[in-house]
Amino acid sequence: MDLHLKNLFGRFQEQFGSGPGLGPGSSTCLMKVEGVSPNFIKSIYKGSAALYRTEPWKRLRPWHLFGIRVGKDSDWSGKKQPFPCVQFIGGDGGDVGFYMFRSESDAKKMTGPRETIRVPNVELLRVSYEPERLMFPSNKRLIKSLSLEASGTDRFPVIDVARCMSSGELRFRNPTLEELRFVYAFMRAISLVHPLLQEDKDGAPKWSRMMYFETFIETVDVQWPPEMAKGHDLVAVTVSHPPGQAYEEKASSTASSTPTKYAEPPREEVFVDVRVNSNGVLRQCTLCEKEVHGDQSQCCAQCRAVVYCSSLCQKQHWKETHKSMCGLYKAMMEREEELAMKIFLFPCSADQPCKWLESLGIHQKGMWRRKCGCYAHCPLGLLPVKGGLWDSWGGLDDEEYPRDSPFHNHVRDGIPSPILLSGWSEYYNLRSLPLSSPVADILSHPFTVYYILTALNISSKNLLLKGKEVILHYLGPEGELDWMPAFAEIGHLLNGSGNIHIVMVGPEVPTNLSGTTSGISSRVRVNLVRGNYQDEATYLPSPHIIVALNCGLESYSAWGGALELIKSRGVPAFFTEQSEILCANAKQVLRGAGLHITHPVTPNPFRSPVKTHCLSNNLPSYSNGFVLGVNT
């Protein structure tokens, strides 16, 4: 009977299991790839799991083709990119994975209206996410022996190179070491890039059910794991949709980089007097720091990002530094709409925080007192507390703030597990909060911490899934010292699984609070310590992870000792900054301190929705806007 069921299942899998793909994975095994090491394989599976968590199949279909460029052509054998065209399959059912082709022409030949077509003499690299129960014994043994990370609950990637013969039969081989490096770089890059695709509703035919995306090209830095690096830690990966877009290489490019898309303005000596529309708000000249009313200031005509008091300062700043940065600033300004969180109904601009808070009826109330300067006279962590949760949230209506209650109906297979959130809209929906509620602005801090623990750092996530405690060192707390009721929401998101011990260390911790411990929920406790991290770390419990939010790493003198300690300990650490420019500066500081950036700069889905602008520029910035990590 068992044999009959096995045969029946095999025939069913052969007939119906292929979906839009080419069928189940082959018996190829990565351990058989010449030159591959166990750590190499582990990195491949980590990258694969990270991509799987971003769920590209929710929007992407086989006809959404991507161009991919990893480093320079000269980096690869034959002076050619191995698989420069990629498609995702399985979004409509069937095998879930992605296919990498030698050319866009090959991809189009094999992409039929309903499923992948077998075309003779076309070779492609397949990454299929298969349930463990359906995998070949050789791959099961590999997974078990190396304790490889799963993608989702029980899926694992199977990687092979397939070629359709003239007879229609498929032949498989193991990928080469070089091909696996290429796949790794793609997986890391596309997981960061594909959420940025914008739907092009005007470009789609009215009768079409297919989703169309706007033309897209983006370059991101990918950190090579030590076992994959070949003389360079980073490689620039360019992803484009549709394929065919590319940057021209410059002879001066390094072996690990592709040329930047941020070109300098073509007419560098022509300056146009562009006035800043700031409704009379005081601005600050980027060069001389002189304060000037916004309607009397001017900005760069190319990027419209930096503010000046006069054309003299503008010309001098162009010669000194701005010439090299203008293109980057322009690209950032073009991302302003993309980074804006359109889901919220409350006004999302806080250049004048008092007026913003007054418009919401929460000025000088509860935890919101730390969102403007009206209570600057009161030491951090010592705001007077009147009553319960309602007072803490500034007297918002009952349905406008999260109640101190668990989430219901979130038990998987009878076992409680942490609730993994994708962004603010999902959280607001779970808590039944109206989009007019401003609580995301304060919750950005605890939720960024929770996002790092459960989505960016695998080791802390696994500890929580196993019901264990994660010790987190939280560096440089300020307003957070008065937002403890918001941090209690992390306990509910843990959903009965694991505990978090947060040790907040910084010079802003009041002396009379230093050494105290607060059990803000049954699963989250916070210990406060006054002092510099490098001086106090010896006396603290060893951390699993280190976090610093809106840390201002550009002030290297204040961070030098802490960064040296983080480097020596090798503990995963994550830093957030308000803007991409600050992140670019932070990357330089981290690399200067000898730290390897293993999680590149990415927009934080739990950044504050409230947009602000610095005095000296128009660049949009968000609290906890971007995150980067080291030692991860």
Side-chain angles (χ1 to χ4, degrees):
M1 185 63 181
D2 290 343
L3 181 62
H4 171 73
L5 290 175
K6 184 177 181 179
N7 292 336
L8 184 64
F9 179 82
R11 291 198 302 273
F12 177 87
Q13 181 75 11
E14 182 179 352
Q15 288 181 303
F16 305 108
S18 60
L22 291 175
S26 67
S27 59
T28 57
C29 182
L30 293 187
M31 192 60 82
K32 298 176 183 178
V33 177
E34 184 178 355
V36 75
S37 67
N39 285 338
F40 192 112
I41 297 174
K42 288 181 179 179
S43 294
I44 288 286
Y45 273 68
K46 284 182 179 179
S48 172
L51 171 58
Y52 189 87
R53 285 194 296 272
T54 66
E55 298 184 299
W57 301 275
K58 282 187 174 180
R59 294 199 300 165
L60 302 180
R61 299 295 180 265
W63 48 79
H64 293 131
L65 299 179
F66 292 88
I68 177 71
R69 180 181 180 81
V70 180
K72 299 197 301 181
D73 290 346
S74 57
D75 297 337
W76 307 99
S77 60
K79 310 300 180 185
K80 187 178 180 181
Q81 302 277 321
F83 297 98
C85 186
V86 185
Q87 67 178 188
F88 284 84
I89 59 107
D92 286 327
D95 302 317
V96 173
F98 59 88
Y99 290 172
M100 309 184 74
F101 298 89
R102 302 284 187 189
S103 68
E104 183 180 358
S105 174
D106 285 350
K108 289 180 177 179
K109 287 178 185 177
M110 295 192 67
T111 304
R114 297 288 297 177
E115 59 184 12
T116 303
I117 302 170
R118 299 189 182 190
V119 178
N121 301 317
V122 172
E123 189 174 61
L124 69 151
L125 187 147
R126 311 187 311 165
V127 178
S128 304
Y129 290 90
E130 294 187 5
E132 185 176 9
R133 65 184 183 279
L134 300 181
M135 300 180 75
F136 282 87
S138 57
N139 282 314
K140 288 184 178 180
R141 288 193 295 270
L142 174 70
I143 292 166
K144 185 175 181 180
S145 63
L146 298 182
S147 300
L148 298 176
E149 183 177 343
S151 299
T153 52
D154 67 338
R155 289 181 179 266
F156 294 88
V158 174
I159 307 175
D160 55 33
V161 179
R163 176 184 288 272
C164 183
M165 310 307 291
S166 300
S167 62
E169 176 190 3
L170 286 177
R171 295 277 180 88
F172 302 98
R173 67 169 175 85
N174 279 306
T176 64
L177 201 64
E178 182 180 70
E179 290 167 344
L180 287 175
R181 290 179 80 245
F182 194 85
V183 171
Y184 176 87
F186 167 74
M187 291 190 298
R188 283 297 190 185
I190 195 67
S191 62
L192 302 175
V193 165
H194 80 80
L196 304 180
L197 287 167
Q198 297 291 317
E199 186 177 359
D200 185 5
K201 296 181 179 179
D202 296 331
K206 293 183 179 179
W207 50 266
S208 176
R209 296 178 61 186
M210 170 182 167
M211 181 182 291
Y212 283 74
F213 295 112
E214 294 178 359
T215 301
F216 180 89
I217 184 167
E218 186 71 38
T219 299
V220 295
D221 283 343
V222 169
Q223 178 84 34
W224 289 121
E227 61 276 1
M228 291 190 190
K230 289 188 175 182
H232 299 278
D233 292 334
L234 292 174
V235 64
V237 182
T238 300
V239 180
S240 60
H241 171 77
Q245 305 174 70
Y247 303 139
E248 294 181 2
E249 290 187 6
K250 297 178 183 177
S252 61
S253 296
T254 64
S256 65
S257 68
T258 53
T260 175
K261 64 184 273 191
Y262 308 122
E264 295 177 1
R267 297 186 296 164
E268 59 185 62
E269 297 302 330
V270 178
F271 297 99
V272 181
D273 185 5
V274 179
R275 295 294 170 179
V276 179
N277 182 14
S278 298
N279 299 322
V281 177
L282 279 177
R283 307 311 298 269
Q284 193 177 66
C285 177
T286 304
L287 185 68
C288 69
E289 298 185 354
K290 174 184 175 182
E291 288 192 347
V292 59
H293 282 281
D295 52 4
Q296 296 174 351
S297 62
Q298 59 192 65
C299 65
C300 172
Q302 297 291 339
C303 65
R304 297 178 180 269
V306 285
V307 177
Y308 303 101
C309 64
S310 66
S311 58
L312 185 64
C313 279
Q314 182 182 7
K315 291 177 182 178
Q316 185 178 344
H317 189 238
W318 174 266
K319 292 177 181 178
E320 291 179 357
T321 59
H322 188 58
K323 178 179 177 181
S324 62
M325 298 296 291
C326 185
L328 174 59
Y329 283 17
K330 181 180 180 181
M332 288 176 56
M333 291 295 287
E334 290 172 349
R335 293 189 69 191
E336 180 172 4
E337 184 177 352
E338 166 198 320
L339 293 172
M341 296 187 182
K342 300 177 182 179
I343 65 169
F344 292 105
L345 301 179
F346 61 84
C348 292
S349 179
D351 291 330
Q352 297 176 305
C354 292
K355 288 186 177 181
W356 177 68
L357 294 169
E358 285 174 358
S359 70
L360 297 169
I362 50 178
H363 187 225
Q364 297 185 1
K365 295 181 180 180
M367 293 185 287
W368 303 103
R369 288 173 287 179
R370 283 292 178 225
K371 284 295 177 177
C372 68
C374 294
Y375 272 77
H377 62 279
C378 184
L380 294 169
L382 297 178
L383 282 176
V385 180
K386 291 183 179 180
L389 197 59
W390 180 77
D391 286 307
S392 295
W393 284 111
L396 291 171
D397 291 341
D398 287 348
E399 70 277 4
E400 289 188 318
Y401 65 90
R403 311 309 298 269
D404 186 16
S405 59
F407 293 88
H408 298 288
N409 303 320
H410 277 276
V411 177
R412 186 175 59 192
D413 299 328
I415 302 174
S417 61
I419 299 171
L420 305 181
L421 298 173
S422 60
W424 285 122
S425 57
E426 184 178 1
Y427 171 73
Y428 268 56
N429 182 55
L430 285 174
R431 274 298 188 203
S432 300
L433 297 174
L435 296 180
S436 57
S437 169
V439 296
D441 187 30
I442 287 180
L443 287 173
S444 171
H445 287 72
F447 278 28
T448 296
V449 170
Y450 187 75
Y451 173 69
I452 290 170
L453 290 174
T454 58
L456 301 186
N457 187 254
I458 300 303
S459 59
S460 59
K461 178 184 176 182
N462 288 338
L463 286 172
L464 293 173
L465 289 172
K466 294 175 182 177
K468 298 183 178 180
E469 182 176 75
V470 172
I471 299 174
L472 180 144
H473 286 183
Y474 192 116
L475 310 190
E478 293 183 352
E480 301 94 311
L481 297 171
D482 290 296
W483 296 335
M484 291 304 159
F487 278 79
E489 186 71 348
I490 294 179
H492 296 307
L493 289 172
L494 287 173
N495 198 32
S497 179
N499 300 284
I500 299 176
H501 179 192
I502 302 175
V503 183
M504 291 188 173
V505 187
E508 299 298 331
V509 175
T511 303
N512 59 330
L513 292 182
S514 184
T516 62
T517 300
S518 173
I520 59 176
S521 80
S522 61
R523 295 194 173 272
V524 180
R525 73 181 192 274
V526 177
N527 183 213
L528 301 180
V529 178
R530 179 181 176 85
N532 294 318
Y533 183 60
Q534 60 270 26
D535 299 328
E536 304 298 330
T538 306
Y539 311 103
L540 305 178
S542 298
H544 297 105
I545 190 169
I546 299 170
V547 168
L549 306 188
N550 296 333
C551 50
L553 275 177
E554 68 276 7
S555 305
Y556 179 70
S557 58
W559 279 96
L563 295 182
E564 289 178 9
L565 180 61
I566 292 171
K567 179 186 176 183
S568 65
R569 285 192 164 189
V571 177
F574 290 86
F575 305 86
T576 71
E577 293 284 8
Q578 291 183 294
S579 68
E580 287 176 290
I581 287 296
L582 290 177
C583 266
N585 296 336
K587 288 172 72 173
Q588 294 179 354
V589 171
L590 291 171
R591 287 172 181 156
L595 289 158
H596 296 292
I597 298 172
T598 47
H599 181 87
V601 176
T602 52
N604 173 19
F606 291 102
R607 62 188 181 273
S608 166
V610 180
K611 176 180 66 179
T612 60
H613 293 88
C614 297
L615 279 175
S616 58
N617 63 45
N618 289 327
L619 292 170
S621 61
Y622 302 83
S623 178
N624 304 310
F626 298 83
V627 61
L628 68 160
V630 299
N631 302 333
T632 56

